[in-house]
Amino acid sequence: MLEVLNPATEEVVATVPAATPQDVDAAVVRATKAQLRWAATAPADRARLLRRFAVAVDEHLEELAQLEVREAGHVIGNARWEAGNVRDLLDFSAGGVERLSGRQIPVPGGLNVTILEPLGVVGVIAPWNFPMPIAAWGTAPALAAGNAVILKPAETTPLTALRLAELALEAGLPEGLFQVLPGTGGVAGNALVEHPGVAKIVFTGSTRVGKQIMTKCADRVKRLTLELGGKSPNIVFADADVEAAALATPMSYLDNSGQDCCARTRILVQRSVYDRFLEIVRPAIESIVVGDPSDEKTQMGPLISKSQLERVRSYVPSGSGIHGTAPEGPGFWFPPTLLTDVDADAPVATEEVFGPVAVVLPFEDEADAIRLANATEYGLSGSIWTRDVGRALRVSGAVQAGNLSVNSHSSVRYWTPFGGYKQSGLGRELGPDALAAFTETKNVFISTEA
C-alpha cells in the first residue's frame, strides 16, 4: 500500500494499493482492446467524448483543487489553475481530433498520401510536482490521437489522477481506455516501460531516471518523450526595468515552493545594477507569505516530503544570503532563500535543487551573460530582461533553452510547444503538434497506371 501524506501537516490523507507487474500486464490487455474500439470510433464522436470529459473536470474543479492541496501541498490558487489546465487541455486536444490530417504529395504515375495512425497503448509516468496538468499533457493528446493511456502517477500524489480516471468514465469514455495505476517507479513504472504492449512512454521527472528509462526503451526502439530537469537563468541587463525585474523575481523560483523544472534559479544580473537589484528584491523575498496552502493569502506552501526537505537543506549553507520565513512544527517547510556571493560553479549554482532556493550572480556584458546562462547541462527555460529589442533577439538566439520569455517569466501554455535542450529532455509536448507526437506516419502510393 502507498501512504499519501499531507505535506503541510504530515498527516496520512489516504492509502492506495500499489500496482504490481501483473496489474500492469492486465491493464495493457484491457487498454489494447479498448484502443482498437476507440480508434474505430468516428473522429467527431471521440472529440465529443473528450469535451464531455473536460466538462466533468470543470464541474469538479474545486474538488480536484482541494484534493491537490491535501496531497501535494499546493496553494489553493495554483491548484485551481492546475485543474483548469486539465480542462483546457482536454478541450484543446478535442479540437485536434478532426484536424489530424495527413498530406497528399505529388508523385508521377499515381496518388501518394500520408496517414497518421495511433500508436496503440501509451504509458504516461507523471511527477509529483504538478500531478494534474503534467498527467494531462501526455494523456489528452494521446487519447485525442486515438490511443489508450495507462497513467502511473507519482507514489506521493496519486489521488487526483485516480479521480480524473473516475470522471473520464462518468463522461462516457470507454472502460479500459484511460487507466490509472498508482505504484512505485521501480515496480509499476518499470513494468510499464518494459512492457512489449506499450508503444510509447511519456516521462516527466529527474534526468537520472529519464536516462534509465531511455536505455530501457532503446532495447525495443520504443517511442519516448522526456521532460527532465532544469537550472534556468533569469538574465537582467542594466537597460531593463530593473524594478520590474526584481519584483517579478521571487515567484519566478518560489512558485510551487521551487519544485518546478522551469524555476529561474540562476539569477544573472549585470554588475552595474547588481546592488540596486538586491535592494529591491530583498524585501520582496522577505515578505512572501509561507503557510497553510488552503489559505487564499498564502503564496508558498511546503515541500512535498521529508526527503525533499533534507535534499534542499543540504545545498544551503547556514546564514548566507536573503531569507524569508516559514512555519515551524509539523510539515515540510523551508523558507524562501536567495544566495549571494556564490561561486558560479558551486553545486547550488549548477545542480537542480528543486526547492525555494536561487543564486544571484553578477555578469559584465552580453557575452558574459550568455556564457553563464549556458554553463549548465540543462536547457529548459529562462528569462531575459532588457528594453533593447535587438539584444532580446540576440540573447534569445544564443541561450540554449527550449522556452524563453522576454520581460516576463512565462514558460508554459497548452497551445504552444514545451520541451528542453541538452539534458532537459527529448521531444516536445503541448502546442499545435502535440497529437502528431502520438501517431505513426504511414505512406500510401496508389498507382493510376493501367
Side-chain angles (χ1 to χ4, degrees), residues 5-9 64-83 127-134 156-157 160 254-260 291-296 298-305 333 354:
L5 299 182
N6 183 328
T9 65
L64 289 165
Q66 294 292 345
L67 201 56
E68 193 83 316
V69 170
R70 291 197 299 275
E71 73 169 347
H74 291 188
V75 297
I76 184 61
N78 283 13
R80 288 176 182 138
W81 176 89
E82 291 165 40
W128 48 258
N129 61 324
F130 290 104
M132 277 193 288
I134 294 182
T156 51
T157 55
T160 49
L254 297 176
D255 190 48
N256 200 30
S257 305
Q259 299 168 131
D260 181 355
D292 180 1
S294 64
D295 189 328
E296 301 278 355
T298 298
Q299 295 172 276
M300 193 183 101
L303 294 168
I304 187 66
S305 65
W333 306 99
F354 226 57

Side-chain angles (χ1 to χ4, degrees), residues 4 14 43 55 71 93 128 136 180 186 234 264 314 324 328 333 374 384 425:
V4 181
V55 169
E71 73 169 347
S93 298
W128 48 258
V180 174
N234 175 15
R264 273 55 165 184
S314 72
E328 298 180 354
W333 306 99
N374 291 335
I384 301 160

Side-chain angles (χ1 to χ4, degrees), residues 236 242 245-246 249 267 269 273-281 360:
V236 182
V242 176
T249 288
I267 304 164
V269 182
V273 294
Y274 181 84
D275 291 340
R276 182 180 169 213
F277 178 90
L278 289 181
E279 288 175 1
I280 300 170
V281 83
V360 58

Side-chain angles (χ1 to χ4, degrees), residues 418-440:
F418 180 77
Y421 282 34
K422 299 189 285 189
Q423 294 194 39
S424 282
L426 182 69
R428 291 294 182 268
E429 297 181 280
L430 308 176
D433 301 322
L435 272 65
F438 293 94
T439 65
E440 288 279 21

Side-chain angles (χ1 to χ4, degrees), residues 193-377:
V193 168
E194 295 187 340
H195 201 290
V198 175
K200 179 172 181 174
I201 293 292
V202 178
F203 172 78
T204 299
S206 72
T207 298
R208 177 184 62 82
V209 176
K211 289 178 180 179
Q212 294 172 357
I213 291 175
M214 191 174 185
T215 299
K216 292 176 180 179
C217 286
D219 189 52
R220 292 185 176 274
V221 197
K222 184 173 294 190
R223 276 55 176 165
L224 179 65
T225 296
L226 296 174
E227 199 272 279
L228 307 175
K231 193 68 177 176
S232 300
N234 175 15
I235 309 170
V236 182
F237 286 97
D239 67 356
D241 183 336
V242 176
E243 182 176 5
L247 292 177
T249 288
M251 295 314 295
S252 76
Y253 75 94
L254 297 176
D255 190 48
N256 200 30
S257 305
Q259 299 168 131
D260 181 355
C261 49
C262 290
R264 273 55 165 184
T265 54
R266 299 166 68 239
I267 304 164
L268 313 179
V269 182
Q270 197 154 15
R271 193 176 295 278
S272 61
V273 294
Y274 181 84
D275 291 340
R276 182 180 169 213
F277 178 90
L278 289 181
E279 288 175 1
I280 300 170
V281 83
R282 179 182 294 275
I285 290 172
E286 292 174 344
S287 66
I288 294 294
V289 179
V290 183
D292 180 1
S294 64
D295 189 328
E296 301 278 355
K297 297 178 181 178
T298 298
Q299 295 172 276
M300 193 183 101
L303 294 168
I304 187 66
S305 65
K306 182 179 180 181
S307 62
Q308 189 62 23
L309 176 60
E310 291 172 347
R311 172 183 167 82
V312 173
R313 281 175 177 163
S314 72
Y315 277 98
V316 180
S318 59
S320 65
I322 301 168
H323 300 272
T325 59
E328 298 180 354
F332 309 120
W333 306 99
F334 195 87
T337 300
L338 179 61
L339 300 177
T340 57
D341 301 317
V342 174
D343 290 337
D345 58 355
V348 71
T350 59
E351 299 176 11
E352 187 175 41
V353 177
F354 226 57
V357 178
V359 300
V360 58
L361 303 169
F363 68 85
E364 301 300 334
D365 54 21
E366 188 174 307
D368 194 31
I370 292 168
R371 179 188 63 81
L372 283 169
N374 291 335
T376 169
E377 64 185 11

